[in-house]
Amino acid sequence: MQQKIIEGIINGDRRMVARAISLIEDEASEKETILSAIFPYTGKAYCLGITGAPGAGKSSLVDQLLVLLRRQGLRVGVIAVDPTSPFTGGAILGDRIRMQEHALDKAVFIRSMGTRGNLGGLSRATKDVIQILDAFGKDVVIIETVGVGQSEVDIIKYADTTVVVLTPASGDSVQTIKAGIMEIADVFVVNKADLPGADRTVSEISMMLDLGGKKRAWRPPIVRTITLDGSGVGELHRALLDHREYLTSSGRLEKAREDRVRRDIVDLIEYKVKSTIWRQVSGSAEFELLVSRIMSRETDPYAAAVQILRSINLNGLSP
Ligand SMILES: Nc1nc2c(ncn2[C@@H]2O[C@H](COP(=O)(O)OP(=O)(O)OP(=O)(O)O)[C@@H](O)[C@H]2O)c(=O)[nH]1
Ligand SMILES: [Mg+2]
């Protein structure tokens, strides 16, 4: 079966891609064999991250970008990640409906993912799905994620280019928007520019970029868009191409991807160690005894952690 899935992915079989993604979501043990086997076929896809507040217009923008990317003849994968919603079996309805016309287009693959609170986390799963879509032959993989906290900042770290979508309507002054989100932007979009206050939002972002006065090799452009009539989407597309060109010609793309490999290995080691330890410890009699002894102040968490570590067997780390 694994072999069938692996060959399916490489040969462009959508059903096998969907199967592999389900295995990743289930944290099935087969997933590692599959990811290892397809790895030689990865590294070609360009990864685009789109984040912003709920309802900022991310899906509408992706929808319109898809049209331009398809016109370039590119094959595109879209992963809509919602860290705030539980896993729903592969569908965030709104995204489904809006991107429907592309669903008929065989060169476009759209999939939604929600959180499952598992050890590997949504970030790990997203990374794995990007790999699958890469090996599947997608030229561009777009990750859409709601910008609300740390988790989606982690997700977006897999993107080569990150777009942060803001709106005038949100009433958020730019200063109040989480610093973490502002820092990851390679391109800013002020969407819903048909609504009042767009100019102010643009100038607030611009002022923020000038703060600190440090000279940037890349100053994130600020693009206004109205997805209702598509205005500004062409400009956004050009800004994305410019950023990609900047990354490629400066050698930063290669460097960033190398850094990602480093982080990825560390993450995987941590994940394996953590899950192995947790499988042995969680709910064990020793663990529970230590909890009650800590409660009665016979021992303390520091001593308990050391005691548990001594009894852990890390040989034969589980996947
Ligand atoms: N006025 C106006 N409304 C827009 C514009 N773009 C999107 N909207 C509306 O904003 C709402 C949210 O759009 P989505 O594209 O679903 O936004 P999103 O950021 O993907 O939303 P979530 O995935 O739920 O976080 C929809 O009702 C859109 O019709 C725009 O340019 N102007
Ligand atoms: Mg959306």
Side-chain angles (χ1 to χ4, degrees):
M1 190 62 223
Q2 284 169 38
Q3 199 51 36
K4 205 173 149 206
I5 295 178
I6 291 161
E7 280 163 18
I9 295 167
I10 296 162
N11 296 322
D13 180 343
R14 296 172 78 93
R15 271 180 42 245
M16 291 301 127
V17 169
R19 287 283 275 281
I21 294 175
S22 300
L23 291 174
I24 287 166
E25 286 176 326
D26 293 342
E27 297 226 35
S29 53
E30 300 97 303
K31 82 170 189 182
E32 289 209 7
T33 316
I34 296 170
L35 289 163
S36 287
I38 62 158
F39 190 78
Y41 300 89
T42 62
K44 298 183 199 82
Y46 194 82
C47 189
L48 183 64
I50 301 203
T51 191
K58 301 177 293 296
S59 299
S60 313
L61 283 165
V62 170
D63 203 23
Q64 302 208 346
L65 275 175
L66 276 173
V67 177
L68 299 184
L69 295 171
R70 290 296 298 125
R71 220 173 271 162
Q72 278 183 278
L74 298 172
R75 292 158 295 181
V76 190
V78 181
I79 315 171
V81 189
D82 190 348
T84 64
S85 88
F87 179 69
T88 51
I92 295 170
L93 196 59
D95 294 319
R96 268 283 172 85
I97 291 167
R98 266 186 296 278
M99 296 181 195
Q100 216 166 35
E101 59 176 292
H102 300 290
L104 298 172
D105 180 348
K106 284 272 180 279
V108 176
F109 186 95
I110 299 170
R111 177 79 177 219
S112 299
M113 292 172 57
T115 182
R116 276 193 154 180
N118 44 23
L119 263 175
L122 199 49
S123 172
R124 165 99 250 133
T126 305
K127 200 227 144 39
D128 292 343
V129 174
I130 295 169
Q131 296 282 91
I132 300 279
L133 294 179
D134 191 345
F136 181 39
K138 294 305 172 204
D139 303 298
V140 179
V141 175
I142 303 178
I143 319 169
E144 174 194 331
T145 185
V146 182
V148 283
Q150 190 54 49
S151 58
E152 76 286 339
V153 174
D154 285 346
I155 290 165
I156 226 82
K157 277 182 187 153
Y158 299 117
D160 296 311
T161 297
T162 298
V163 178
V164 170
V165 184
L166 301 167
T167 59
S170 56
D172 297 331
S173 136
V174 170
Q175 282 85 348
T176 66
I177 294 167
K178 278 183 55 91
I181 301 276
M182 299 306 277
E183 281 154 19
I184 57 172
D186 299 308
V187 175
F188 283 100
V189 167
V190 176
N191 186 42
K192 309 196 185 183
D194 51 308
L195 301 179
D199 288 343
R200 201 181 121 216
T201 308
V202 170
S203 57
E204 279 184 353
I205 298 167
S206 181
M207 274 166 59
M208 187 213 65
L209 289 175
D210 293 335
L211 274 178
K214 64 169 184 229
K215 219 164 150 37
R216 299 160 186 271
W218 171 263
R219 189 184 200 273
I222 309 167
V223 183
R224 291 164 205 246
T225 56
I226 304 172
T227 66
L228 305 179
D229 63 5
S231 55
V233 179
E235 203 187 331
L236 171 59
H237 184 228
R238 269 191 305 281
L240 299 176
L241 292 174
D242 286 350
H243 187 247
R244 180 177 186 163
E245 172 55 28
Y246 157 76
L247 290 181
T248 316
S249 60
S250 63
R252 280 167 208 254
L253 185 64
E254 200 59 23
K255 172 80 175 55
R257 289 186 170 184
E258 201 181 290
D259 287 346
R260 231 174 278 153
V261 167
R262 263 186 208 103
R263 199 172 55 221
D264 202 29
I265 299 172
V266 173
D267 281 355
L268 274 172
I269 293 172
E270 275 178 12
Y271 168 62
K272 280 169 177 285
V273 170
K274 244 192 206 166
S275 52
T276 302
I277 291 180
W278 209 234
R279 199 159 302 142
Q280 292 178 35
V281 166
S282 140
S284 76
E286 183 195 13
F287 186 78
E288 291 309 318
L289 180 66
L290 282 168
V291 171
S292 60
R293 292 189 59 219
I294 292 167
M295 292 303 286
S296 59
R297 297 300 185 271
E298 288 165 71
T299 186
D300 61 87
Y302 308 93
V306 171
Q307 184 181 327
I308 285 175
L309 272 176
R310 282 206 191 101
S311 67
I312 293 281
N313 175 13
L314 282 182
N315 300 326
L317 277 177
S318 63

